[in-house]
Amino acid sequence: MVGARTGPPLPETPLDDPIYVTRPFLPPLAEFVPMLERIWERRVLTNSGPFHQELEARLASFLDAPHVSLTTNGMLALSVALEAAGLEGEVVTTPYSFVATTHSVLLEKLTPVFADVAPHDLNIDPAAIEAAITPRTTAILGVHCYGNPCDVVAIEAIAARHGLTVIYDAAHAFGVRLHGRGVFAHGDYSCVSFHATKAFNTFEGGAVTTGTAAAKLAVDGRKNFGIVDEVRIPTVGTNAKMSEMNAAMGLLQLDHFGHVRRERARVDALYRAGLADVAGIAPLAVPLGVEPNHSYFPVLVGDGFPRSRDGLYEHLKTQGIYSRRYFFPLLSSLPMYRDTPSADPANLPVAGDAAARVLCLPIYPDLADPQVERIVAAIRAA
Ligand code: T4K
């Protein structure tokens, strides 16, 4: 038939063209194939192969991290960091995060103690950390939530005063810089996720960055069954190694990260311009001195808006727009945590308020301008 249209059918309603909170960036397949061919030639598939070693070296430089140990995912990065740090007792942490943060603490048989977050960045509040410290505290586990850095100066001063280890859950913070320096330069350990939904992905993956070579050695042992060499296995460990295929993807993604960051910045700027005059919708500000990665676009839905956060979330779904309530429910409200004294909602008013009001809008590199305009229009029409 002359003139017949080929390809997928054009969307008739918004529901035919769903927009999800994120969509992974993938480099051109043609760039990945030669890397797969190298793996086939070498037949080194895992256990710290050449791509793995190259990615660790390139990330150390890119992230300003003294040392990098790649892992299977962000959750296991947290687990091996907590193990390598040799902690006992209590870990002061935030209730406003993804479950991996506190589950890793509990799985390591440590006790999470919740401290409230600060309203301006929704990161753990140094004053609340100080108040939560007891003689059993051995570490502070902060989360650079949405990629916005914790108050690293205050946290590290508290840690120095009390002799505590500082671990950052930097799952969201790939490539983020603070006053011109990679945020991974801070803390004893930082743990990042390379999950499909993150600004930098290796399908699944992650890394622990460490301040010292000794700490890297401890992490490398813990992620490889506790093995040091053929005959020495001095500690217990898990298997949290990254494969060569994931490492190859990481090397390729690193080449494209500049583009990814720029496209995310474009979406961020469009939202901020489009929502600037919408009463009751307040995008979370990027703190001064931060070069962000725009991995999330959280807005606080306030009293001036005609719908509640959940009302807006449901309304957007009717328009085929799938935003997410990261991070609701609050971790401290989950069955395994809610009986601990620090989980009392009266202790965590700012986190409780954020969990009820934050909505993360879709953001990813190939979210086109008209799609962002569609989301802004749907919010305005609510
Ligand atoms: N610490 C923090 C602070 C974290 O946020 C996370 C993970 C971790 C630690 C642990 O890191 P990993 O062990 O995951 O490396 C997602 C992710 O699974 C999780 O990695 C992430 N944080 C968390 C905040 O979000 P869900 O349940 O929202 O994922 P899902 O499958 O609903 O995906 C969201 C949307 O993304 C989908 O609607 C469609 C799109 N999508 C997703 C995947 C997986 C795709 O288009 N393609 C895909 O392959 O948890």
Side-chain angles (χ1 to χ4, degrees):
M1 202 170 34
V2 176
R5 191 182 165 277
T6 56
L10 289 172
E12 287 176 10
T13 76
L15 292 177
D16 293 334
D17 184 21
I19 302 177
Y20 297 105
V21 69
T22 189
R23 220 170 154 222
F25 172 79
L26 284 172
L29 185 57
E31 292 181 18
F32 194 43
V33 171
M35 303 187 86
L36 292 178
E37 285 169 352
R38 290 290 288 143
I39 294 174
W40 258 246
E41 281 160 19
R42 290 198 285 239
R43 295 221 211 164
V44 177
L45 310 187
T46 185
N47 288 8
S48 197
F51 283 148
H52 184 285
Q53 289 180 25
E54 188 183 343
L55 185 58
E56 285 194 345
R58 280 187 62 193
L59 286 180
S61 150
F62 183 77
L63 299 175
D64 288 340
H67 304 276
V68 175
S69 297
L70 298 174
T71 58
T72 318
N73 54 53
M75 169 82 186
L76 284 171
L78 284 165
S79 295
V80 294
L82 289 164
E83 284 241 343
L87 303 175
E88 290 177 351
E90 296 173 359
V91 176
V92 178
T93 190
T94 170
Y96 191 74
S97 184
F98 186 61
V99 282
T101 308
T102 40
H103 277 8
S104 66
V105 174
L106 217 53
L107 282 168
E108 292 305 317
K109 304 198 169 25
L110 298 160
T111 306
V113 173
F114 294 110
D116 206 1
V117 297
H120 62 281
D121 60 5
L122 307 182
N123 283 330
I124 194 164
D125 183 343
I129 296 176
E130 192 95 57
I133 290 172
T134 74
R136 283 177 44 76
T137 309
T138 53
I140 300 167
L141 172 56
V143 177
H144 300 312
C145 197
Y146 309 126
N148 287 332
C150 292
D151 187 343
V152 292
V153 173
I155 288 174
E156 282 146 40
I158 294 169
R161 265 203 306 284
H162 295 272
L164 307 176
T165 299
V166 176
I167 301 177
Y168 290 116
D169 180 339
H172 307 167
F174 186 89
V176 171
R177 298 177 77 78
L178 176 61
H179 302 303
R181 197 158 163 240
V183 76
F184 289 85
H186 292 278
D188 298 301
Y189 302 82
S190 293
C191 305
V192 60
S193 166
F194 304 152
H195 184 258
T197 56
K198 297 296 188 290
F200 173 91
N201 84 77
T202 57
F203 285 33
E204 288 270 7
V208 183
T209 68
T210 54
T212 65
K216 174 173 166 56
L217 214 59
V219 169
D220 284 346
R222 288 324 196 277
K223 78 174 196 192
N224 187 28
F225 312 102
I227 293 173
V228 168
D229 59 32
E230 270 184 60
V231 290
R232 287 183 300 159
I233 307 172
T235 59
V236 170
T238 187
N239 179 358
K241 290 170 275 118
M242 178 182 279
S243 83
E244 281 293 275
M245 203 157 75
N246 300 99
M249 177 52 65
L251 287 167
L252 212 47
Q253 291 276 8
L254 203 49
D255 293 339
H256 290 271
F257 186 69
H259 160 80
V260 167
R261 196 205 288 263
R262 274 193 303 280
E263 289 304 305
R264 287 178 168 275
R266 170 186 57 79
V267 175
D268 184 296
L270 272 179
Y271 273 135
R272 286 186 197 274
L275 296 171
D277 62 343
V278 181
I281 297 289
L284 197 68
V286 174
L288 278 181
V290 173
E291 186 187 335
N293 62 11
H294 307 286
S295 51
Y296 293 86
F297 195 83
V299 298
L300 282 119
V301 183
D303 291 339
F305 196 72
R307 291 178 193 254
S308 67
R309 187 276 309 272
D310 291 348
L312 177 58
Y313 168 74
E314 294 298 338
H315 165 74
L316 291 177
K317 274 207 275 186
T318 68
Q319 304 300 304
I321 298 162
Y322 299 92
S323 59
R324 289 298 280 267
R325 290 170 289 188
Y326 299 134
F327 290 100
F328 165 83
L330 215 54
L331 299 179
S332 47
S333 72
L334 300 179
M336 64 297 282
Y337 303 113
R338 65 182 168 222
D339 293 333
T340 175
S342 64
D344 183 344
N347 186 42
L348 309 166
V350 182
D353 183 61
R357 288 177 50 207
V358 170
L359 195 62
C360 286
L361 301 181
I363 187 163
Y364 49 88
D366 53 339
L367 190 67
D369 291 6
Q371 289 176 301
V372 181
E373 284 153 17
R374 184 177 131 202
I375 297 164
V376 169
I379 293 171
R380 287 177 165 282

